[in-house]
């Protein structure tokens, strides 16, 4: 071999050595890091589902989000499917367009479906959770110490408190008037709460259900034979009530309506927390101000209608010799009151108008919603819907009116829905083209 061939020989040898070394390094890397290679191969392959068992093949992104830790989950954020405890089922309820009411009024009537809250099935889930959280922050409640939450309620707040008390390590003791629907106290019993049904009495009486709950809590805390404490939730006066709606219900409505595309908000008031909390968020924090009309839906016998319209807390049924019952003269439960609470007062100036709704109108609206929309709700929701219709008819066509569906009709079977049956409304087959305004006695508001 001549010297001139040496570079070619050396080059060929170098390439051969480099190739062999590359193979050895690759094999060694594979042996040393099999898991890394497996991960690489898995990431290259798309997910697939067999068309034999699951229909057409679909490709999905392989990237996965890590499961959030419990501490990072907001109790009002249902986020990506996993929530932390029953508290996580509260909030983010849907906003439903009620077709029949929208068609009858020429406006869009939307209802926040609070009966779909996953803890106690009402807007009181939000309030109960916030009251408990505030009490825990203040050291008034400590899980596992044997503490008991006491509350005076006509039903929904007690149910929400009973559910959340068990979930967070407390007991619940509920005082309620003995003329409330029996299914509410039965449910409370099954939820593990102690239930006291007490005779109806005026708020000035120590035996009034709210006063009695306060006394029970005080006596519990004062007892020397136990380290546990009694906590009086005080939904009527606790500002944790309205702030729950200002922090959650209001923002949800704002977002669901496309950043505040609504013209009116309609709601009833018992404690007053819902209407004032939502009004404060929308009118003040989101600065909708006079562009948003806030309307109180008030049942017969309540004094709030006259307080808003005329500045005087008065109801005609309060006249001596005319009152049939010892509290608000209506079969509607959950809203209507004859005193001003702290939660109502904090946002009273933001309420622009009020609509008075009779028991007859509430019953007819409840039945209408079942027949025309498949919506089965209780008495306070029916009152809200009547007031939403009245409000819509006083506004320009295509206005957007939002109201609240508070709880399911299943909590009102023995009283409200029993009365609907007695009225003969369930015996009638309502035609789909029946005039809603004629049914409610609102023909005078009919649009030209």
């Amino acid at each position: 071999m001549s010297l001139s061939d040496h570079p070619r020989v050396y080059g060929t040898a170098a390439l051969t050595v480099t190739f062999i070394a590359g193979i050895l390094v690759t094999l060694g890397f594979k042996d040393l890091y099999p898991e890394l290679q497996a991960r690489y191969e898995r990431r290259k392959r798309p997910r697939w589902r067999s068309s034999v068992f699951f229909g057409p093949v679909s490709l999905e992104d392989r990237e996965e989000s890590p499961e959030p830790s419990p501490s990072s989950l907001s109790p009002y954020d249902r986020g990506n499917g996993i929530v932390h405890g029953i508290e996580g089922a509260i909030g983010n309820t849907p906003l439903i367009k009620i077709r029949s009411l929208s068609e009858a009024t020429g406006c869009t009537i939307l209802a926040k479906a609070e009966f779909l809250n996953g803890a106690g099935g009402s807007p009181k889930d939000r309030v109960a959770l916030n009251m408990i959280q505030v009490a825990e922050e203040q050291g008034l409640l400590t899980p596992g110490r044997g503490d008991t939450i006491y509350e005076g309620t006509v039903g929904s707040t007690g149910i929400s408190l009973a559910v959340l008390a068990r979930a967070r390590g407390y007991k619940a003791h509920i005082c309620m008037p003995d003329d409330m629907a029996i299914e509410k106290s039965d449910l409370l019993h099954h939820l593990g709460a102690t239930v006291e049904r007490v005779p109806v009495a005026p708020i000035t009486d120590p035996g009034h259900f709210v006063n009695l709950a306060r006394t029970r809590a005080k006596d519990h805390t004062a007892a020397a034979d136990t380290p546990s404490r009694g906590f009086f939730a005080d939904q009527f006066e606790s500002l944790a009530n309205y702030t729950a709606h200002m922090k959650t219900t209001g923002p949800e409505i704002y977002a669901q309506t496309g950043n505040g595309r609504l013209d009116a908000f309609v709601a009833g008031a018992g404690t007053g927390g819902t209407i004032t909390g939502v009004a404060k968020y929308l009118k003040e924090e989101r600065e909708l101000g006079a562009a948003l009309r806030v309307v109180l839906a008030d049942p017969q016998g309540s004094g709030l209608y006259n307080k808003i319209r005329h500045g005087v807390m008065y109801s005609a049924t309060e006249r001596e010799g005319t009152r049939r019952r010892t509290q608000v003269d209506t079969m509607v439960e959950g809203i209507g009151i004859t005193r001003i609470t702290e939660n109502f007062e904090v946002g009273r100036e933001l309420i622009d108008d009020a609509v008075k709704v009779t028991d007859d109108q509430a019953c007819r609206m409840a039945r209408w919603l079942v027949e025309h929309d498949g919506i089965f709700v209780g008495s306070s929701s029916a009152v809200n819907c009547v007031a939403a219709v009245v409000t819509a008819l006083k506004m320009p066509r295509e206005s957007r009116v939002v109201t609240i569906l508070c709880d399911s009709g299943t909590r009102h079977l023995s009283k409200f829905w029993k009365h609907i049956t007695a009225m003969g409304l369930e015996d009638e087959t309502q035609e789909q083209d029946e005039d809603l305004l004629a049914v409610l006695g609102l023909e005078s508001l009919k649009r030209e």
Side-chain angles (χ1 to χ4, degrees), residues 167-187:
R168 297 178 80 90
Y170 308 113
K171 299 175 183 176
H173 186 120
I174 306 301
C175 300
M176 64 190 305
D178 60 8
D179 64 346
M180 294 296 105
I182 193 66
E183 51 266 32
K184 292 183 181 180
S185 55
D186 285 348
L187 178 56

Side-chain angles (χ1 to χ4, degrees), residues 68-133:
S69 64
S71 61
S72 71
L73 290 169
S74 165
Y76 292 99
D77 182 12
R78 301 189 191 184
N80 297 315
I82 297 176
V83 295
H84 185 50
I86 194 66
E87 299 97 321
I90 300 172
N92 291 317
T93 54
L95 190 65
I96 300 171
K97 178 180 178 179
I98 305 182
R99 287 191 295 264
S100 72
L101 305 190
S102 299
E103 291 168 3
T105 60
C107 294
T108 299
I109 295 186
L110 307 169
K112 186 80 166 137
E114 288 293 277
F115 66 91
L116 294 179
N117 271 306
S122 81
K124 298 301 184 181
D125 283 355
R126 303 172 187 266
V127 174
L129 180 58
N130 200 41
M131 290 193 299
I132 291 172
Q133 288 175 328

Side-chain angles (χ1 to χ4, degrees), residues 129-150:
L129 180 58
N130 200 41
M131 290 193 299
I132 291 172
Q133 288 175 328
V134 170
E136 289 173 340
E137 291 167 4
Q138 296 175 348
L140 300 175
L141 283 172
T142 301
R145 188 172 61 184
D147 293 354
T148 299
I149 300 170
Y150 293 84

Side-chain angles (χ1 to χ4, degrees), residues 45-80:
R45 290 195 301 268
R47 283 184 181 178
W48 63 278
R49 295 185 299 175
S50 168
S51 60
V52 175
F53 298 103
F54 300 103
V57 172
S58 64
L59 299 180
E60 300 173 6
D61 187 356
R62 183 59 186 160
E63 295 295 330
E64 293 182 358
S65 300
E67 180 177 329
S69 64
S71 61
S72 71
L73 290 169
S74 165
Y76 292 99
D77 182 12
R78 301 189 191 184
N80 297 315

Side-chain angles (χ1 to χ4, degrees), residues 361-413:
Q361 288 174 320
C363 290
R364 293 181 183 280
M365 173 58 79
R367 190 61 205 163
W368 175 278
L369 291 172
V370 170
E371 290 288 343
H372 294 79
D373 300 278
I375 298 174
F376 183 58
V377 290
S379 54
S380 56
S381 302
V383 169
N384 285 346
C385 287
V386 173
V389 167
V390 172
T391 300
L393 291 170
K394 294 179 178 179
M395 302 185 76
R397 285 185 181 276
E398 300 184 4
S399 296
R400 302 180 99 197
V401 178
V402 175
T403 192
I404 303 287
L405 297 180
C406 305
D407 60 3
S408 167
T410 56
R411 293 186 185 171
H412 301 262
L413 297 177

